Amino acid sequence: VRKATLDTISRIDSQEAASFLLKYLYTHDNWQDNLLRALGRMDPKSAVPILIDSFHVRKDKWIIILRMIGRIGGEEARRFLLDTLDTWSFYTVALNKFGGEEFTLALIEALGYFPADRELIRAVKLFRSEWRSGDVLRGLSGFFKRGKDRVSDKAGEVITAWKREKTGN
């Protein structure tokens, strides 16, 4: 019943409906994932600002919010994700090693939903270079082809998909 109610409210697509969903996002812990999904079905102009605000106060929901913002799309979402990519290390410092990796994977995945352009390709390439050089052990494992660097692999997949998209292959 709760999920159906949230689905219905998300289809109203007004600022009042978005505000209602946001209020419950902060007060009902057991509803949060369903609320975030409901916001994701709303108009980007209503949902993206709310998700960005939620991102800044809900560290425990960073990953799902990044993925939702990427799926929703729009220029505001794109700009937010690029800004977050530009400062990724500030976010990953707040997380443990596994959490930092999951955060960066979600961020790269979210950017992958957008159509290719020079700025996105440049930003992800720069990030991948910083990611690889930022951790000596990660760099050495890549050099010796040991271990799996899922973040570099995901960034490479996204860049390759964008290049294919641009060339039509």
Side-chain angles (χ1 to χ4, degrees):
V1 175
R2 289 182 197 162
K3 190 172 186 294
T5 303
L6 295 174
D7 287 343
T8 302
I9 292 169
S10 71
R11 290 189 183 101
I12 295 171
D13 200 30
S14 69
Q15 194 58 44
E16 292 81 20
S19 296
F20 175 81
L21 292 174
L22 181 62
K23 175 182 142 193
Y24 279 86
L25 180 64
Y26 294 118
T27 58
H28 292 77
D29 285 342
N30 56 339
W31 291 23
Q32 288 174 352
D33 290 342
N34 289 332
L35 282 161
L36 287 170
R37 286 184 194 92
L39 282 168
R41 286 188 290 276
M42 297 184 79
D43 177 51
K45 290 180 178 140
S46 299
V48 170
I50 290 170
L51 288 168
I52 290 171
D53 288 345
S54 299
F55 178 85
H56 291 298
V57 296
R58 294 306 306 254
K59 176 181 156 187
D60 59 322
K61 298 297 178 187
W62 277 354
I63 293 168
I64 192 171
I65 291 171
L66 287 173
R67 288 185 174 131
M68 302 251 355
I69 289 172
R71 285 186 196 122
I72 292 170
E75 185 54 34
E76 186 176 7
R78 181 184 175 281
R79 178 63 27 219
F80 168 76
L81 292 170
L82 276 171
D83 290 346
T84 304
L85 184 65
D86 193 40
T87 56
W88 66 272
S89 62
F90 295 118
Y91 294 104
T92 58
V93 165
L95 301 166
N96 61 32
K97 183 176 176 12
F98 176 75
E101 185 176 351
E102 292 302 312
F103 175 88
T104 50
L105 284 168
L107 180 56
I108 297 298
E109 176 186 312
L111 285 164
Y113 287 111
F114 291 86
D117 66 39
R118 291 177 67 185
E119 183 182 21
L120 284 172
I121 292 169
R122 181 205 56 77
V124 173
K125 281 183 175 181
L126 178 62
F127 161 78
R128 186 171 60 172
S129 174
E130 289 176 4
W131 175 263
R132 286 178 173 168
S133 65
D135 182 339
V136 173
L137 293 177
R138 187 170 45 239
L140 288 175
S141 69
F143 179 75
F144 291 110
K145 306 288 187 223
R146 294 193 179 162
K148 190 86 169 130
D149 182 358
R150 297 181 328 149
V151 173
S152 291
D153 291 349
K154 185 63 170 178
E157 289 171 19
V158 168
I159 291 167
T160 300
W162 282 334
K163 286 181 179 178
R164 283 189 191 128
E165 177 186 313
K166 287 188 97 162
T167 61
N169 292 333

